[in-house]
Every structure is written in C-alpha cells, then in structure tokens.
Amino acid sequence: YLIALGLASRGTGPLTRLAASGNEGRLRRLRTGVAAVGLAGALIGGLLGWWIGPALVDLIFGAGVAPQASVVAIVAAGSAVALMGLVAVLLLVARAATSAITVSWVVAFVAATAVLLVASDDALTRVALAFIVAEVVSRALMFAADRRSAGPVAP
C-alpha cells in the first residue's frame, strides 16, 4: 500500500488532463476496471488470507502470534479495497470534487464505529470488520460521487 501510495501521485496529472478534456468514456472505463480488479483482489486476497495468512504471520513474527484465519482474510480483503481507494481519490481530485472524499470518509467512519459497537466480542474480529466496512463504504461512496461528477459520455 505504501509503495502504491507513493506512486499514486504520478496519476494526478494524467487523470486531471482526462477530466479537463472531457474524456468521460476513458475515465468511466478506468473506474469500472479498478472496481473490478479491486473486487477480484479482495476475493482472492481474502481467500489467500484465510488459507495461508496465519502461517505467514507466524513465519514473519514468530509462532503463536497469528490471529484467526477469518481475521487475516478480512484484513487481506480490506487491504485490496483500500488500494482501490487510491484511484478513487485521484479521480475525485482530478474532478475537483474533493468534498466528496471528506463526506465518504465521514460516513465510513460512522459505519465503522457502528460495527465496533455491535460486532463480535473478539476485539481483533471487531476491528477487522470495522476496517473492511470503512473501506467498502468509503469506496462505494467515492465511486458514486465520481459517477455523479462525470459529464456526459460521448457515443
């Protein structure tokens, strides 16, 4: 994520030029492609997290520290959704719709807080669920805001 975050700023200029030129078809395809790849990544990441995640955590940090497979799966899936957020934010910045970023995260914070208050008794599971809920809610709202900010698509 940190590497992608550092590289993401390089996309601001090209996306801004696309938005300014009104190339909505290309921006829409980018948004759709990122969402599809991100959802597939979340599914694959979640499955791999559940399957080999605890063993990897034990390998890296030492035996006995790995959380339950379900927690690793949720965090892995949420991390893939978080990566989608880099593009979602850049799309909104390119359209000068930065207030939508703030609104998306405020709503996501409220949703995550609700999950923290009512989810599992297990603290790790509760935090993992709040993480993925925040990511999914903010991403859905950001992509929806990008669609609303878009101009007409040329035939």
Side-chain angles (χ1 to χ4, degrees), residues 84-105:
M84 278 193 286
L86 295 175
V87 177
V89 165
L90 290 178
L91 285 167
L92 291 169
V93 167
R95 296 183 187 283
T98 54
S99 62
I101 299 167
T102 304
V103 170
S104 296
W105 277 116

Side-chain angles (χ1 to χ4, degrees), residues 22-113:
N23 197 334
E24 293 301 333
R26 194 162 174 201
L27 290 166
R28 182 186 47 156
R29 286 189 302 276
L30 175 66
R31 180 182 61 237
T32 302
V34 166
V37 168
L39 291 174
L43 178 63
I44 292 166
L47 291 171
L48 287 174
W50 176 79
W51 182 44
I52 62 171
L56 285 176
V57 172
D58 275 346
L59 178 69
I60 294 167
F61 296 106
V65 298
Q68 299 170 24
S70 60
V71 170
V72 181
I74 293 167
V75 171
S79 296
V81 177
L83 281 172
M84 278 193 286
L86 295 175
V87 177
V89 165
L90 290 178
L91 285 167
L92 291 169
V93 167
R95 296 183 187 283
T98 54
S99 62
I101 299 167
T102 304
V103 170
S104 296
W105 277 116
V106 168
V107 174
F109 173 77
V110 171
T113 301

Side-chain angles (χ1 to χ4, degrees), residues 110-126:
V110 171
T113 301
V115 169
L116 285 172
L117 294 174
V118 301
S120 168
D121 288 337
D122 177 63
L124 285 177
T125 301
R126 198 168 50 247

